[in-house]
Amino acid sequence: MSGELVTGLKCRLCGKLYPKEALNFCTDDFGPLEVAYDYEAVGRTFTREAIATRPRNMWRYRELLPVDGEPTVGRHVGGTPLIRADRLAKLLGVAELYIKNDAVNHPSLSFKDRVVAVALSKAVELGFETVGCASTGNLAGSVAANAAAAGLEAYVLIPEGLEQGKVLGATIYGAKVVAVRGNYDHVNRLCSQIAFRYGWGFVNVNLRPFYAEGSKSMGFEIAEELGWRAPDQVVAPMAGGSLIGKLHKSFLELETLGLLNGPVRTKMFGAQATGCNPISNTVKTGAGKVKPVRNPETIAKSLAIGDPADGWFASKLIRETGGWSEDVSDDAIVDNMRLLAETEGVWAETAGGVTLAVARRLIDEGKIDRDGSIVLCITGNGLKTQEALVDHLPRPVVIRPTLEEFEALVEAGVPAVLASA
Ligand SMILES: *Cc1c(COP(=O)(O)O)cnc(C)c1O
Ligand SMILES: [Zn+2]
């Protein structure tokens, strides 16, 4: 984690190098910037033995996270369970299935705490006192919570009409929450203007290169838990398209450093909702560029980014790794939220329903190999998207406190499953 491990920011289009500053695009060609490392220097301290002695959180992999000093924000983030999902595997007819459960990530119950921990630690290093984000919901809660714990002032901008759990889950931390009349793309554009106008640190705007690197920690954890091997197949939900790319990058970095048993042959599968499918559409049509979705319309609000910043790179990666992408209906999302809960005891938010629904579809179509290992990335918690379920689950049966009434109920059968399922 010494300053020399990160050599700078590099343009993903032309390769031009920039210093480690709050800057997210190349001034020559507007290409996105990515953190560049000196892997030889990283390898001096980043060994399996050294990693094994460190606490089970994302900072176990600190040499490959772009913070120069000690992390100051989100020091307990990560270290979420990788669950062997045998009951679900049996139902799907696959051999080796895992759930990476970031629905229980600390502190705000989504994978966004990983990206925020890095972005805000960097914001502190760069001297920002006010931070912010453009959010589809989970980022709002994560920036608000982590900023509160770090004593930073936070402005959180969201599209109007998000779920109550997401809105309260940001407001409770004392952040300034602003709902914008419009969709995420309007919010994002406004945030670029605000970051420039006020000189604040917006985690997914001017701090985006650092932010995005935080997602790699999810991949590092998966590989280490699997006995230092990259899975054969990963299914990840896509909003802006950043997470899926960083998962793959994490495996490649471990390979570069000689930490894996065997080569990386991971096929990446991307999941979206049909109501907002710009990336899956690009993969399926083989289009030369991403066609934005102007009016996203889905219950998977956390994934509703019509004009995804990393959409092109995500679709390219999916095709190059031999993976694929699909999108699914809102009904399928709800059914699969329930299936995940009923088979594995994991209550994921709508994005988790998207991931499982897409995985099932791709397994059925033979695009996902039933005999290879499969990791499903569950990225957010069901408590935050209750609106998606209230009309789809049975209400509790009410009885008087007598054994007779309970017996009559058991006799008749307690309604546990809705007819629609
Ligand atoms: C933000 C988010 C994602 C995906 O994010 P990317 O923008 O593609 O990196 C996935 N799931 C949930 C629940 C999210 O909040
Ligand atoms: Zn460039």
Side-chain angles (χ1 to χ4, degrees):
M1 228 170 353
S2 77
E4 304 86 65
L5 302 184
V6 174
T7 54
L9 301 177
K10 193 173 176 184
C11 173
R12 291 188 75 181
L13 294 181
C14 71
K16 183 170 170 181
L17 264 178
Y18 290 83
K20 299 177 255 186
E21 285 166 9
L23 182 68
N24 60 320
F25 60 87
C26 175
T27 48
D28 290 353
D29 53 21
F30 298 103
L33 301 184
E34 186 170 48
V35 175
Y37 297 86
D38 177 348
Y39 289 111
E40 214 179 289
V42 168
R44 273 178 222 131
T45 54
F46 195 66
T47 62
R48 286 190 195 175
E49 295 68 35
I51 294 165
T53 65
R54 300 174 183 173
R56 290 216 166 257
N57 60 54
M58 65 182 280
W59 299 104
R60 209 169 154 78
Y61 315 100
R62 60 201 188 192
E63 284 92 340
L64 291 173
L65 298 171
V67 174
D68 288 343
E70 285 293 321
T72 53
V73 184
R75 277 175 305 206
H76 308 284
V77 174
T80 60
L82 183 77
I83 301 161
R84 175 94 192 215
D86 283 335
R87 274 171 50 77
L88 184 56
K90 196 165 168 215
L91 208 123
L92 304 190
V94 299
E96 192 184 350
L97 181 69
Y98 302 89
I99 292 165
K100 178 59 173 170
N101 189 10
D102 264 23
V104 294
N105 204 6
H106 172 83
S108 73
L109 305 179
S110 87
F111 103 91
K112 289 299 197 302
D113 289 323
R114 299 177 184 275
V115 286
V116 169
V118 175
L120 291 190
S121 287
K122 198 69 201 176
V124 170
E125 281 184 0
L126 293 172
F128 289 104
E129 286 167 6
T130 302
V131 296
C133 67
S135 173
T136 57
N138 284 313
L139 189 58
S142 184
V143 165
N146 286 293
L152 296 164
E153 188 162 16
Y155 280 83
V156 161
L157 282 85
I158 53 175
E160 197 181 30
L162 282 193
E163 304 94 337
Q164 180 166 278
K166 301 267 170 91
V167 178
L168 294 180
T171 314
I172 181 69
Y173 302 108
K176 294 178 173 62
V177 179
V178 181
V180 176
R181 219 157 277 144
N183 59 36
Y184 176 83
D185 294 311
H186 299 118
V187 175
N188 191 44
R189 223 164 299 142
L190 176 60
C191 284
S192 297
Q193 294 172 321
I194 296 170
F196 185 74
R197 162 78 174 77
Y198 290 93
W200 294 340
F202 270 65
V203 300
N204 56 341
V205 180
N206 49 342
L207 296 170
R208 189 171 178 89
F210 306 104
Y211 157 99
E213 288 290 288
S215 290
K216 291 190 309 190
S217 64
M218 195 169 179
F220 296 145
E221 288 175 12
I222 291 169
E224 186 182 358
E225 289 268 337
L226 290 176
W228 294 108
R229 72 187 164 104
D232 299 323
Q233 306 165 102
V234 171
V235 189
M238 304 185 293
S242 174
L243 169 65
I244 192 166
K246 295 296 178 176
L247 287 166
H248 193 256
K249 183 182 177 189
S250 75
F251 304 144
L252 293 182
E253 285 187 334
L254 295 180
E255 182 179 48
T256 299
L257 292 163
L259 295 179
L260 292 186
N261 300 320
V264 176
R265 292 207 195 91
T266 313
K267 296 181 178 181
M268 303 302 294
F269 296 87
Q272 294 206 293
T274 301
C276 185
N277 64 351
I279 310 178
S280 69
N281 190 51
T282 306
V283 172
K284 290 192 287 183
T285 59
K289 61 183 192 356
V290 178
K291 187 164 146 251
V293 169
R294 292 286 163 220
N295 296 303
E297 189 72 60
T298 168
I299 58 167
K301 293 175 192 282
S302 59
L303 304 181
I305 297 186
D307 192 2
D310 295 295
W312 169 245
F313 290 102
S315 62
K316 194 159 156 283
L317 172 77
I318 289 168
R319 283 180 152 263
E320 284 171 0
T321 59
W324 198 247
S325 185
E326 258 307 342
D327 48 81
V328 290
S329 71
D330 285 359
D331 284 344
I333 294 169
V334 171
D335 288 347
N336 284 280
M337 290 168 78
R338 296 182 63 175
L339 183 68
L340 186 64
E342 289 172 11
T343 54
E344 295 295 338
V346 172
W347 186 12
E349 67 141 69
T350 45
V354 170
T355 301
L356 179 54
V358 165
R360 289 175 70 191
R361 180 115 151 239
L362 295 175
I363 291 165
D364 285 345
E365 291 173 358
K367 294 199 169 76
I368 290 180
D369 175 12
R370 291 176 187 274
D371 297 322
S373 56
I374 306 167
V375 175
L376 304 181
C377 293
I378 298 303
T379 47
N381 195 294
L383 280 166
K384 291 198 261 179
T385 59
Q386 297 182 34
E387 290 87 342
L389 296 177
V390 273
D391 294 332
H392 297 272
L393 295 178
R395 309 259 141 86
V397 182
V398 181
I399 59 168
R400 273 190 293 269
T402 69
L403 189 56
E404 289 75 19
E405 282 215 18
F406 185 76
E407 283 170 344
L409 192 70
V410 171
E411 200 72 24
V414 183
V417 192
L418 255 203
S420 79

